Amino acid sequence: MEFLTNDKLLIVGAGGMIGSNMVQSALMLGLTPNICLYDIYEPGVHGVYDEMQQCAFPGANITYTVDPEEAFTNAKFIISSGGAPRKEGMTREDLLKGNCKIAAEFGENIKKYCPDVNHVVVIFNPADVTALTALIHSGLKPNQLTSLAALDSTRLQQALAHEFGVQQDKVTGAHTYGGHGEQMAVFASQVKIDGKPLSEMGLSAERWEEIKHKTVQGGSNIIKLRGRSSFQSPAYNAVKMIEAAMGGEPFTLPAGCYVNDDKLGFKNVMMAMPTTIDKTGVHYSEPTGTPEELAELQKSYEHLCKMRQEIIDLDIVPSIEAWKNDNANL
Ligand SMILES: NC(=O)c1ccc[n+]([C@@H]2O[C@H](COP(=O)([O-])OP(=O)(O)OC[C@H]3O[C@@H](n4cnc5c(N)ncnc54)[C@H](O)[C@@H]3O)[C@@H](O)[C@H]2O)c1
Ligand SMILES: O=C(O)C[C@H](O)C(=O)O
């Protein structure tokens, strides 16, 4: 089996549902044989390790540990789903306090044990805010850390493909930006169905609102159907993001990235943007949309600013001025 690299990939939260699926996806996609599984729950991560050994995957060199020093040392790529998931009836924001505390420790571990890491993907929710917390505590440059935001766009693609009876890959430009939560901004103006603009497809305004609602509720719908939050789609997409950061196939769906942009008016937040991820990290571009879509994005940004204030008030991150003093790149 040929691998893209031999660099160490660390999977944090590897004993959980997303973590265990990521190990498998990373090996099946041929990213690296050198994978370290880390979790705070020994039986869980031990069990995943045993199962991966029992796959007898050619060339794999998997280790597992509950010791952060052993886990983070020499890691070149990291994906973390190490945090609590929500249950039915909860919002992602309900996880903010507990998971952002975990994110602060996660960032500190990076700073202490692997400051030379190339790229980090944060999955655990609320992903925009846990990722911001991790970025601030890690001391990394903004283009080295991304959060998983792609599922909202793949859900929009899915709903539109179903509506028009086409293969999902015939739906292009179906993207959501801003926060990965109920306040996400769902963009229609760039969508094409089999090459034809959505505006020419005869979709009623009422039907579009239903598709939007379905997209926003996509995560809750999986919880209703499966009794737990999504794990296959986040695992696959996060591994694809890391593959792109390793220099493999480009990742073109929106990703969460640090934005501090006077021109756009979005300051000191992590949010989903039009992005590209490559060996040099994550790079965003300006979203294209109608004035209504951009106003929705502004609302989503304002919601993210409120959550940012909560983690400042909880002393999980310092004030914006203080974190900028610590890391001039932010
Ligand atoms: N961004 C997204 O699109 C997206 C999609 C799905 C799920 N999620 C989020 O991903 C997270 C994980 O979901 P899951 O289904 O894998 O949950 P899970 O409970 O199956 O797994 C989480 C794992 O993290 C471990 N863990 C907890 N605290 C840790 C710490 N401090 N260090 C290391 N490991 C730790 C747990 O022991 C557990 O094994 C949740 O927060 C969920 O909401 C995000
Ligand atoms: O919905 C959740 O809590 C998990 C995840 O954020 C998702 O969108 O599937």
Side-chain angles (χ1 to χ4, degrees), residues 12-13 15-19 38-41 81-86 95 99 102 105 122-125 127 148-149 151 180 228-231 234:
V12 178
M17 292 305 289
I18 298 177
Y38 170 64
D39 203 291
I40 49 166
Y41 181 57
S81 55
R86 66 175 165 148
L95 303 166
N99 278 355
I102 292 175
E105 198 183 321
V122 172
I123 301 178
F124 56 115
N125 274 319
L148 175 67
L151 302 190
H180 173 59
R228 57 156 309 119
S229 56
S230 65
F231 51 94

PDB file of all heavy atoms in Angstrom, residues 12-13 15-19 38-41 81-86 95 99 102 105 122-125 127 148-149 151 180 228-231 234, ligand 1:
ATOM      1  N   VAL A  12      -7.549  12.484  18.087  1.00  0.00           N
ATOM      2  CA  VAL A  12      -7.948  12.736  19.477  1.00  0.00           C
ATOM      3  C   VAL A  12      -9.445  12.442  19.605  1.00  0.00           C
ATOM      4  O   VAL A  12     -10.237  12.914  18.781  1.00  0.00           O
ATOM      5  CB  VAL A  12      -7.638  14.207  19.864  1.00  0.00           C
ATOM      6  CG1 VAL A  12      -8.096  14.494  21.291  1.00  0.00           C
ATOM      7  CG2 VAL A  12      -6.158  14.504  19.710  1.00  0.00           C
ATOM      8  N   GLY A  13      -9.792  11.676  20.641  1.00  0.00           N
ATOM      9  CA  GLY A  13     -11.178  11.217  20.765  1.00  0.00           C
ATOM     10  C   GLY A  13     -11.360   9.929  19.981  1.00  0.00           C
ATOM     11  O   GLY A  13     -12.479   9.559  19.580  1.00  0.00           O
ATOM     12  N   GLY A  15     -11.397   6.911  20.708  1.00  0.00           N
ATOM     13  CA  GLY A  15     -12.245   5.847  21.233  1.00  0.00           C
ATOM     14  C   GLY A  15     -13.719   6.056  20.909  1.00  0.00           C
ATOM     15  O   GLY A  15     -14.541   5.156  21.134  1.00  0.00           O
ATOM     16  N   GLY A  16     -14.066   7.221  20.395  1.00  0.00           N
ATOM     17  CA  GLY A  16     -15.476   7.549  20.146  1.00  0.00           C
ATOM     18  C   GLY A  16     -15.913   7.179  18.742  1.00  0.00           C
ATOM     19  O   GLY A  16     -15.157   6.581  17.952  1.00  0.00           O
ATOM     20  N   MET A  17     -17.136   7.557  18.413  1.00  0.00           N
ATOM     21  CA  MET A  17     -17.731   7.148  17.143  1.00  0.00           C
ATOM     22  C   MET A  17     -17.034   7.785  15.935  1.00  0.00           C
ATOM     23  O   MET A  17     -16.710   7.097  14.970  1.00  0.00           O
ATOM     24  CB  MET A  17     -19.228   7.506  17.124  1.00  0.00           C
ATOM     25  CG  MET A  17     -20.052   6.699  18.105  1.00  0.00           C
ATOM     26  SD  MET A  17     -19.868   4.918  17.867  1.00  0.00           S
ATOM     27  CE  MET A  17     -20.748   4.680  16.339  1.00  0.00           C
ATOM     28  N   ILE A  18     -16.819   9.108  16.017  1.00  0.00           N
ATOM     29  CA  ILE A  18     -16.161   9.753  14.864  1.00  0.00           C
ATOM     30  C   ILE A  18     -14.699   9.318  14.815  1.00  0.00           C
ATOM     31  O   ILE A  18     -14.169   8.953  13.757  1.00  0.00           O
ATOM     32  CB  ILE A  18     -16.256  11.295  14.968  1.00  0.00           C
ATOM     33  CG1 ILE A  18     -17.716  11.731  14.954  1.00  0.00           C
ATOM     34  CG2 ILE A  18     -15.485  11.962  13.839  1.00  0.00           C
ATOM     35  CD1 ILE A  18     -17.928  13.224  15.113  1.00  0.00           C
ATOM     36  N   GLY A  19     -14.052   9.329  15.983  1.00  0.00           N
ATOM     37  CA  GLY A  19     -12.624   8.980  16.035  1.00  0.00           C
ATOM     38  C   GLY A  19     -12.357   7.620  15.426  1.00  0.00           C
ATOM     39  O   GLY A  19     -11.455   7.460  14.587  1.00  0.00           O
ATOM     40  N   TYR A  38      -5.621   8.630  20.509  1.00  0.00           N
ATOM     41  CA  TYR A  38      -5.587   9.181  21.869  1.00  0.00           C
ATOM     42  C   TYR A  38      -6.997   9.441  22.356  1.00  0.00           C
ATOM     43  O   TYR A  38      -7.845   9.944  21.616  1.00  0.00           O
ATOM     44  CB  TYR A  38      -4.776  10.488  21.877  1.00  0.00           C
ATOM     45  CG  TYR A  38      -4.879  11.266  23.168  1.00  0.00           C
ATOM     46  CD1 TYR A  38      -4.399  10.742  24.369  1.00  0.00           C
ATOM     47  CD2 TYR A  38      -5.474  12.536  23.187  1.00  0.00           C
ATOM     48  CE1 TYR A  38      -4.507  11.454  25.557  1.00  0.00           C
ATOM     49  CE2 TYR A  38      -5.580  13.265  24.369  1.00  0.00           C
ATOM     50  CZ  TYR A  38      -5.095  12.716  25.552  1.00  0.00           C
ATOM     51  OH  TYR A  38      -5.204  13.423  26.724  1.00  0.00           O
ATOM     52  N   ASP A  39      -7.243   9.116  23.608  1.00  0.00           N
ATOM     53  CA  ASP A  39      -8.543   9.363  24.233  1.00  0.00           C
ATOM     54  C   ASP A  39      -8.305   9.406  25.746  1.00  0.00           C
ATOM     55  O   ASP A  39      -7.285   8.911  26.224  1.00  0.00           O
ATOM     56  CB  ASP A  39      -9.523   8.227  23.885  1.00  0.00           C
ATOM     57  CG  ASP A  39     -10.990   8.642  23.988  1.00  0.00           C
ATOM     58  OD1 ASP A  39     -11.461   8.875  25.126  1.00  0.00           O
ATOM     59  OD2 ASP A  39     -11.658   8.746  22.941  1.00  0.00           O
ATOM     60  N   ILE A  40      -9.235   9.978  26.479  1.00  0.00           N
ATOM     61  CA  ILE A  40      -9.083   9.933  27.945  1.00  0.00           C
ATOM     62  C   ILE A  40      -9.700   8.650  28.508  1.00  0.00           C
ATOM     63  O   ILE A  40      -9.508   8.326  29.664  1.00  0.00           O
ATOM     64  CB  ILE A  40      -9.742  11.159  28.637  1.00  0.00           C
ATOM     65  CG1 ILE A  40     -11.167  11.361  28.123  1.00  0.00           C
ATOM     66  CG2 ILE A  40      -8.909  12.412  28.417  1.00  0.00           C
ATOM     67  CD1 ILE A  40     -11.973  12.316  28.980  1.00  0.00           C
ATOM     68  N   TYR A  41     -10.463   7.928  27.704  1.00  0.00           N
ATOM     69  CA  TYR A  41     -11.152   6.721  28.168  1.00  0.00           C
ATOM     70  C   TYR A  41     -10.406   5.498  27.632  1.00  0.00           C
ATOM     71  O   TYR A  41     -10.505   5.169  26.435  1.00  0.00           O
ATOM     72  CB  TYR A  41     -12.608   6.773  27.692  1.00  0.00           C
ATOM     73  CG  TYR A  41     -13.442   5.602  28.131  1.00  0.00           C
ATOM     74  CD1 TYR A  41     -13.581   5.272  29.487  1.00  0.00           C
ATOM     75  CD2 TYR A  41     -14.105   4.808  27.194  1.00  0.00           C
ATOM     76  CE1 TYR A  41     -14.348   4.184  29.886  1.00  0.00           C
ATOM     77  CE2 TYR A  41     -14.880   3.726  27.589  1.00  0.00           C
ATOM     78  CZ  TYR A  41     -14.985   3.416  28.932  1.00  0.00           C
ATOM     79  OH  TYR A  41     -15.738   2.335  29.330  1.00  0.00           O
ATOM     80  N   SER A  81     -11.932  14.895  17.570  1.00  0.00           N
ATOM     81  CA  SER A  81     -13.372  14.806  17.862  1.00  0.00           C
ATOM     82  C   SER A  81     -13.533  14.505  19.355  1.00  0.00           C
ATOM     83  O   SER A  81     -14.564  13.996  19.777  1.00  0.00           O
ATOM     84  CB  SER A  81     -14.018  13.702  17.012  1.00  0.00           C
ATOM     85  OG  SER A  81     -13.349  12.469  17.215  1.00  0.00           O
ATOM     86  N   GLY A  82     -12.507  14.801  20.119  1.00  0.00           N
ATOM     87  CA  GLY A  82     -12.509  14.498  21.561  1.00  0.00           C
ATOM     88  C   GLY A  82     -13.316  15.498  22.359  1.00  0.00           C
ATOM     89  O   GLY A  82     -12.786  16.491  22.878  1.00  0.00           O
ATOM     90  N   GLY A  83     -14.607  15.258  22.468  1.00  0.00           N
ATOM     91  CA  GLY A  83     -15.497  16.127  23.230  1.00  0.00           C
ATOM     92  C   GLY A  83     -16.878  15.497  23.258  1.00  0.00           C
ATOM     93  O   GLY A  83     -17.138  14.534  22.531  1.00  0.00           O
ATOM     94  N   ALA A  84     -17.760  16.045  24.080  1.00  0.00           N
ATOM     95  CA  ALA A  84     -19.091  15.442  24.227  1.00  0.00           C
ATOM     96  C   ALA A  84     -19.986  15.764  23.034  1.00  0.00           C
ATOM     97  O   ALA A  84     -19.959  16.885  22.519  1.00  0.00           O
ATOM     98  CB  ALA A  84     -19.738  15.959  25.502  1.00  0.00           C
ATOM     99  N   PRO A  85     -20.800  14.797  22.616  1.00  0.00           N
ATOM    100  CA  PRO A  85     -21.819  15.091  21.594  1.00  0.00           C
ATOM    101  C   PRO A  85     -23.136  15.524  22.257  1.00  0.00           C
ATOM    102  O   PRO A  85     -23.357  15.237  23.429  1.00  0.00           O
ATOM    103  CB  PRO A  85     -21.994  13.739  20.901  1.00  0.00           C
ATOM    104  CG  PRO A  85     -21.629  12.711  21.927  1.00  0.00           C
ATOM    105  CD  PRO A  85     -20.729  13.361  22.950  1.00  0.00           C
ATOM    106  N   ARG A  86     -23.998  16.190  21.486  1.00  0.00           N
ATOM    107  CA  ARG A  86     -25.310  16.549  22.069  1.00  0.00           C
ATOM    108  C   ARG A  86     -26.268  15.365  21.950  1.00  0.00           C
ATOM    109  O   ARG A  86     -26.061  14.448  21.139  1.00  0.00           O
ATOM    110  CB  ARG A  86     -25.884  17.791  21.387  1.00  0.00           C
ATOM    111  CG  ARG A  86     -26.241  17.604  19.937  1.00  0.00           C
ATOM    112  CD  ARG A  86     -26.922  18.848  19.377  1.00  0.00           C
ATOM    113  NE  ARG A  86     -26.945  18.821  17.927  1.00  0.00           N
ATOM    114  CZ  ARG A  86     -27.894  19.353  17.177  1.00  0.00           C
ATOM    115  NH1 ARG A  86     -28.916  19.973  17.739  1.00  0.00           N
ATOM    116  NH2 ARG A  86     -27.845  19.294  15.861  1.00  0.00           N
ATOM    117  N   LEU A  95     -23.241  22.644  24.512  1.00  0.00           N
ATOM    118  CA  LEU A  95     -21.959  21.968  24.794  1.00  0.00           C
ATOM    119  C   LEU A  95     -20.826  22.966  25.009  1.00  0.00           C
ATOM    120  O   LEU A  95     -19.692  22.568  25.298  1.00  0.00           O
ATOM    121  CB  LEU A  95     -21.581  21.054  23.615  1.00  0.00           C
ATOM    122  CG  LEU A  95     -22.597  19.980  23.209  1.00  0.00           C
ATOM    123  CD1 LEU A  95     -22.238  19.405  21.843  1.00  0.00           C
ATOM    124  CD2 LEU A  95     -22.617  18.860  24.248  1.00  0.00           C
ATOM    125  N   ASN A  99     -17.095  21.693  26.370  1.00  0.00           N
ATOM    126  CA  ASN A  99     -16.205  21.373  25.252  1.00  0.00           C
ATOM    127  C   ASN A  99     -15.152  22.458  25.010  1.00  0.00           C
ATOM    128  O   ASN A  99     -14.047  22.162  24.541  1.00  0.00           O
ATOM    129  CB  ASN A  99     -17.018  21.091  23.979  1.00  0.00           C
ATOM    130  CG  ASN A  99     -17.554  19.663  23.951  1.00  0.00           C
ATOM    131  OD1 ASN A  99     -17.248  18.856  24.837  1.00  0.00           O
ATOM    132  ND2 ASN A  99     -18.362  19.343  22.964  1.00  0.00           N
ATOM    133  N   ILE A 102     -12.300  21.719  27.219  1.00  0.00           N
ATOM    134  CA  ILE A 102     -11.488  20.649  26.606  1.00  0.00           C
ATOM    135  C   ILE A 102     -10.627  21.238  25.473  1.00  0.00           C
ATOM    136  O   ILE A 102      -9.447  20.898  25.323  1.00  0.00           O
ATOM    137  CB  ILE A 102     -12.405  19.524  26.063  1.00  0.00           C
ATOM    138  CG1 ILE A 102     -13.085  18.798  27.233  1.00  0.00           C
ATOM    139  CG2 ILE A 102     -11.625  18.543  25.205  1.00  0.00           C
ATOM    140  CD1 ILE A 102     -14.111  17.742  26.807  1.00  0.00           C
ATOM    141  N   GLU A 105      -7.471  22.960  26.729  1.00  0.00           N
ATOM    142  CA  GLU A 105      -6.441  21.986  27.100  1.00  0.00           C
ATOM    143  C   GLU A 105      -5.815  21.360  25.832  1.00  0.00           C
ATOM    144  O   GLU A 105      -4.596  21.149  25.777  1.00  0.00           O
ATOM    145  CB  GLU A 105      -7.094  20.907  27.956  1.00  0.00           C
ATOM    146  CG  GLU A 105      -6.112  20.087  28.758  1.00  0.00           C
ATOM    147  CD  GLU A 105      -6.839  18.990  29.535  1.00  0.00           C
ATOM    148  OE1 GLU A 105      -7.941  19.242  30.062  1.00  0.00           O
ATOM    149  OE2 GLU A 105      -6.301  17.879  29.574  1.00  0.00           O
ATOM    150  N   VAL A 122     -10.449  20.617  13.824  1.00  0.00           N
ATOM    151  CA  VAL A 122     -11.266  20.499  15.035  1.00  0.00           C
ATOM    152  C   VAL A 122     -12.702  20.165  14.627  1.00  0.00           C
ATOM    153  O   VAL A 122     -13.286  20.848  13.781  1.00  0.00           O
ATOM    154  CB  VAL A 122     -11.248  21.816  15.839  1.00  0.00           C
ATOM    155  CG1 VAL A 122     -12.237  21.772  16.993  1.00  0.00           C
ATOM    156  CG2 VAL A 122      -9.840  22.096  16.360  1.00  0.00           C
ATOM    157  N   ILE A 123     -13.237  19.120  15.257  1.00  0.00           N
ATOM    158  CA  ILE A 123     -14.597  18.681  14.912  1.00  0.00           C
ATOM    159  C   ILE A 123     -15.594  18.957  16.030  1.00  0.00           C
ATOM    160  O   ILE A 123     -16.760  19.274  15.782  1.00  0.00           O
ATOM    161  CB  ILE A 123     -14.596  17.153  14.621  1.00  0.00           C
ATOM    162  CG1 ILE A 123     -13.647  16.818  13.469  1.00  0.00           C
ATOM    163  CG2 ILE A 123     -16.000  16.662  14.318  1.00  0.00           C
ATOM    164  CD1 ILE A 123     -13.562  15.322  13.172  1.00  0.00           C
ATOM    165  N   PHE A 124     -15.163  18.818  17.283  1.00  0.00           N
ATOM    166  CA  PHE A 124     -16.144  18.780  18.380  1.00  0.00           C
ATOM    167  C   PHE A 124     -16.869  20.122  18.559  1.00  0.00           C
ATOM    168  O   PHE A 124     -16.309  21.183  18.357  1.00  0.00           O
ATOM    169  CB  PHE A 124     -15.532  18.242  19.689  1.00  0.00           C
ATOM    170  CG  PHE A 124     -14.319  18.946  20.232  1.00  0.00           C
ATOM    171  CD1 PHE A 124     -14.367  19.609  21.441  1.00  0.00           C
ATOM    172  CD2 PHE A 124     -13.114  18.904  19.549  1.00  0.00           C
ATOM    173  CE1 PHE A 124     -13.256  20.243  21.962  1.00  0.00           C
ATOM    174  CE2 PHE A 124     -11.986  19.537  20.062  1.00  0.00           C
ATOM    175  CZ  PHE A 124     -12.059  20.207  21.267  1.00  0.00           C
ATOM    176  N   ASN A 125     -18.115  20.017  18.938  1.00  0.00           N
ATOM    177  CA  ASN A 125     -19.051  21.154  18.900  1.00  0.00           C
ATOM    178  C   ASN A 125     -19.081  21.991  20.179  1.00  0.00           C
ATOM    179  O   ASN A 125     -18.759  21.482  21.246  1.00  0.00           O
ATOM    180  CB  ASN A 125     -20.464  20.610  18.649  1.00  0.00           C
ATOM    181  CG  ASN A 125     -20.730  20.437  17.168  1.00  0.00           C
ATOM    182  OD1 ASN A 125     -20.344  21.277  16.367  1.00  0.00           O
ATOM    183  ND2 ASN A 125     -21.388  19.340  16.819  1.00  0.00           N
ATOM    184  N   ALA A 127     -18.359  23.699  16.952  1.00  0.00           N
ATOM    185  CA  ALA A 127     -17.042  23.582  16.321  1.00  0.00           C
ATOM    186  C   ALA A 127     -16.360  24.931  16.046  1.00  0.00           C
ATOM    187  O   ALA A 127     -15.140  25.046  16.194  1.00  0.00           O
ATOM    188  CB  ALA A 127     -17.177  22.789  15.022  1.00  0.00           C
ATOM    189  N   LEU A 148     -14.443  21.620  11.109  1.00  0.00           N
ATOM    190  CA  LEU A 148     -15.307  20.915  10.160  1.00  0.00           C
ATOM    191  C   LEU A 148     -16.655  21.634  10.066  1.00  0.00           C
ATOM    192  O   LEU A 148     -17.364  21.756  11.067  1.00  0.00           O
ATOM    193  CB  LEU A 148     -15.519  19.472  10.624  1.00  0.00           C
ATOM    194  CG  LEU A 148     -16.497  18.664   9.779  1.00  0.00           C
ATOM    195  CD1 LEU A 148     -15.960  18.410   8.384  1.00  0.00           C
ATOM    196  CD2 LEU A 148     -16.827  17.339  10.451  1.00  0.00           C
ATOM    197  N   ALA A 149     -16.977  22.092   8.872  1.00  0.00           N
ATOM    198  CA  ALA A 149     -18.243  22.799   8.653  1.00  0.00           C
ATOM    199  C   ALA A 149     -18.972  22.252   7.427  1.00  0.00           C
ATOM    200  O   ALA A 149     -20.049  22.714   7.076  1.00  0.00           O
ATOM    201  CB  ALA A 149     -17.963  24.287   8.455  1.00  0.00           C
ATOM    202  N   LEU A 151     -20.603  19.570   6.568  1.00  0.00           N
ATOM    203  CA  LEU A 151     -21.833  18.758   6.501  1.00  0.00           C
ATOM    204  C   LEU A 151     -23.069  19.575   6.164  1.00  0.00           C
ATOM    205  O   LEU A 151     -24.011  19.068   5.562  1.00  0.00           O
ATOM    206  CB  LEU A 151     -22.067  18.029   7.825  1.00  0.00           C
ATOM    207  CG  LEU A 151     -20.949  17.103   8.306  1.00  0.00           C
ATOM    208  CD1 LEU A 151     -21.417  16.287   9.488  1.00  0.00           C
ATOM    209  CD2 LEU A 151     -20.460  16.207   7.193  1.00  0.00           C
ATOM    210  N   HIS A 180     -21.587  26.803  12.361  1.00  0.00           N
ATOM    211  CA  HIS A 180     -22.148  25.443  12.229  1.00  0.00           C
ATOM    212  C   HIS A 180     -23.172  25.275  13.351  1.00  0.00           C
ATOM    213  O   HIS A 180     -22.915  24.657  14.374  1.00  0.00           O
ATOM    214  CB  HIS A 180     -21.023  24.401  12.335  1.00  0.00           C
ATOM    215  CG  HIS A 180     -21.513  22.987  12.370  1.00  0.00           C
ATOM    216  ND1 HIS A 180     -22.274  22.429  11.368  1.00  0.00           N
ATOM    217  CD2 HIS A 180     -21.369  22.007  13.306  1.00  0.00           C
ATOM    218  CE1 HIS A 180     -22.566  21.166  11.680  1.00  0.00           C
ATOM    219  NE2 HIS A 180     -22.034  20.894  12.850  1.00  0.00           N
ATOM    220  N   ARG A 228     -28.245   9.042  17.969  1.00  0.00           N
ATOM    221  CA  ARG A 228     -26.976   9.695  18.332  1.00  0.00           C
ATOM    222  C   ARG A 228     -26.529  10.566  17.165  1.00  0.00           C
ATOM    223  O   ARG A 228     -27.049  10.425  16.049  1.00  0.00           O
ATOM    224  CB  ARG A 228     -25.916   8.650  18.665  1.00  0.00           C
ATOM    225  CG  ARG A 228     -25.622   7.637  17.572  1.00  0.00           C
ATOM    226  CD  ARG A 228     -24.233   7.070  17.754  1.00  0.00           C
ATOM    227  NE  ARG A 228     -23.299   8.150  17.888  1.00  0.00           N
ATOM    228  CZ  ARG A 228     -22.529   8.381  18.960  1.00  0.00           C
ATOM    229  NH1 ARG A 228     -22.552   7.580  19.981  1.00  0.00           N
ATOM    230  NH2 ARG A 228     -21.713   9.417  18.998  1.00  0.00           N
ATOM    231  N   SER A 229     -25.594  11.470  17.412  1.00  0.00           N
ATOM    232  CA  SER A 229     -25.259  12.404  16.341  1.00  0.00           C
ATOM    233  C   SER A 229     -24.412  11.732  15.262  1.00  0.00           C
ATOM    234  O   SER A 229     -23.826  10.669  15.472  1.00  0.00           O
ATOM    235  CB  SER A 229     -24.590  13.670  16.889  1.00  0.00           C
ATOM    236  OG  SER A 229     -23.453  13.375  17.636  1.00  0.00           O
ATOM    237  N   SER A 230     -24.347  12.408  14.122  1.00  0.00           N
ATOM    238  CA  SER A 230     -23.680  11.862  12.933  1.00  0.00           C
ATOM    239  C   SER A 230     -22.242  11.471  13.243  1.00  0.00           C
ATOM    240  O   SER A 230     -21.585  12.110  14.067  1.00  0.00           O
ATOM    241  CB  SER A 230     -23.690  12.917  11.822  1.00  0.00           C
ATOM    242  OG  SER A 230     -22.908  14.034  12.213  1.00  0.00           O
ATOM    243  N   PHE A 231     -21.769  10.416  12.605  1.00  0.00           N
ATOM    244  CA  PHE A 231     -20.356  10.065  12.795  1.00  0.00           C
ATOM    245  C   PHE A 231     -19.668   9.633  11.502  1.00  0.00           C
ATOM    246  O   PHE A 231     -18.490   9.878  11.316  1.00  0.00           O
ATOM    247  CB  PHE A 231     -20.170   8.997  13.894  1.00  0.00           C
ATOM    248  CG  PHE A 231     -21.024   7.769  13.750  1.00  0.00           C
ATOM    249  CD1 PHE A 231     -20.543   6.650  13.099  1.00  0.00           C
ATOM    250  CD2 PHE A 231     -22.306   7.738  14.272  1.00  0.00           C
ATOM    251  CE1 PHE A 231     -21.324   5.508  12.977  1.00  0.00           C
ATOM    252  CE2 PHE A 231     -23.104   6.601  14.144  1.00  0.00           C
ATOM    253  CZ  PHE A 231     -22.613   5.486  13.501  1.00  0.00           C
ATOM    254  N   PRO A 234     -19.029  13.113   9.316  1.00  0.00           N
ATOM    255  CA  PRO A 234     -17.933  13.956   9.833  1.00  0.00           C
ATOM    256  C   PRO A 234     -16.575  13.274   9.748  1.00  0.00           C
ATOM    257  O   PRO A 234     -15.572  13.909   9.429  1.00  0.00           O
ATOM    258  CB  PRO A 234     -18.316  14.216  11.303  1.00  0.00           C
ATOM    259  CG  PRO A 234     -19.409  13.274  11.624  1.00  0.00           C
ATOM    260  CD  PRO A 234     -20.060  12.890  10.339  1.00  0.00           C
TER     261      PRO A 234
HETATM  262  N1  LIG B   1     -18.404  19.634  13.292  1.00  0.00           N
HETATM  263  C1  LIG B   1     -19.245  18.707  12.902  1.00  0.00           C
HETATM  264  O1  LIG B   1     -19.761  18.737  11.774  1.00  0.00           O
HETATM  265  C2  LIG B   1     -19.602  17.570  13.814  1.00  0.00           C
HETATM  266  C3  LIG B   1     -20.322  16.469  13.314  1.00  0.00           C
HETATM  267  C4  LIG B   1     -20.656  15.440  14.181  1.00  0.00           C
HETATM  268  C5  LIG B   1     -20.264  15.493  15.519  1.00  0.00           C
HETATM  269  N2  LIG B   1     -19.564  16.557  15.961  1.00  0.00           N
HETATM  270  C6  LIG B   1     -19.090  16.628  17.342  1.00  0.00           C
HETATM  271  O2  LIG B   1     -17.947  15.755  17.492  1.00  0.00           O
HETATM  272  C7  LIG B   1     -17.810  15.397  18.858  1.00  0.00           C
HETATM  273  C8  LIG B   1     -17.579  13.897  19.004  1.00  0.00           C
HETATM  274  O3  LIG B   1     -18.688  13.154  18.569  1.00  0.00           O
HETATM  275  P1  LIG B   1     -18.700  11.555  18.702  1.00  0.00           P
HETATM  276  O4  LIG B   1     -19.988  11.110  18.125  1.00  0.00           O
HETATM  277  O5  LIG B   1     -17.445  10.976  18.203  1.00  0.00           O
HETATM  278  O6  LIG B   1     -18.770  11.411  20.295  1.00  0.00           O
HETATM  279  P2  LIG B   1     -18.323  10.162  21.182  1.00  0.00           P
HETATM  280  O7  LIG B   1     -18.868  10.394  22.540  1.00  0.00           O
HETATM  281  O8  LIG B   1     -18.638   8.888  20.487  1.00  0.00           O
HETATM  282  O9  LIG B   1     -16.738  10.307  21.220  1.00  0.00           O
HETATM  283  C9  LIG B   1     -16.072  11.343  21.870  1.00  0.00           C
HETATM  284  C10 LIG B   1     -14.779  10.766  22.426  1.00  0.00           C
HETATM  285  O10 LIG B   1     -14.021  11.845  22.951  1.00  0.00           O
HETATM  286  C11 LIG B   1     -13.399  11.391  24.142  1.00  0.00           C
HETATM  287  N3  LIG B   1     -13.005  12.544  24.944  1.00  0.00           N
HETATM  288  C12 LIG B   1     -13.753  13.303  25.768  1.00  0.00           C
HETATM  289  N4  LIG B   1     -13.000  14.255  26.329  1.00  0.00           N
HETATM  290  C13 LIG B   1     -11.745  14.113  25.821  1.00  0.00           C
HETATM  291  C14 LIG B   1     -10.524  14.802  26.020  1.00  0.00           C
HETATM  292  N5  LIG B   1     -10.434  15.824  26.868  1.00  0.00           N
HETATM  293  N6  LIG B   1      -9.434  14.371  25.355  1.00  0.00           N
HETATM  294  C15 LIG B   1      -9.502  13.312  24.517  1.00  0.00           C
HETATM  295  N7  LIG B   1     -10.635  12.614  24.290  1.00  0.00           N
HETATM  296  C16 LIG B   1     -11.740  13.022  24.934  1.00  0.00           C
HETATM  297  C17 LIG B   1     -14.439  10.497  24.802  1.00  0.00           C
HETATM  298  O11 LIG B   1     -13.848   9.625  25.749  1.00  0.00           O
HETATM  299  C18 LIG B   1     -15.002   9.771  23.581  1.00  0.00           C
HETATM  300  O12 LIG B   1     -14.304   8.569  23.318  1.00  0.00           O
HETATM  301  C19 LIG B   1     -19.068  15.940  19.546  1.00  0.00           C
HETATM  302  O13 LIG B   1     -18.787  17.174  20.155  1.00  0.00           O
HETATM  303  C20 LIG B   1     -20.041  16.146  18.399  1.00  0.00           C
HETATM  304  O14 LIG B   1     -21.015  17.108  18.690  1.00  0.00           O
HETATM  305  C21 LIG B   1     -19.249  17.589  15.145  1.00  0.00           C
END
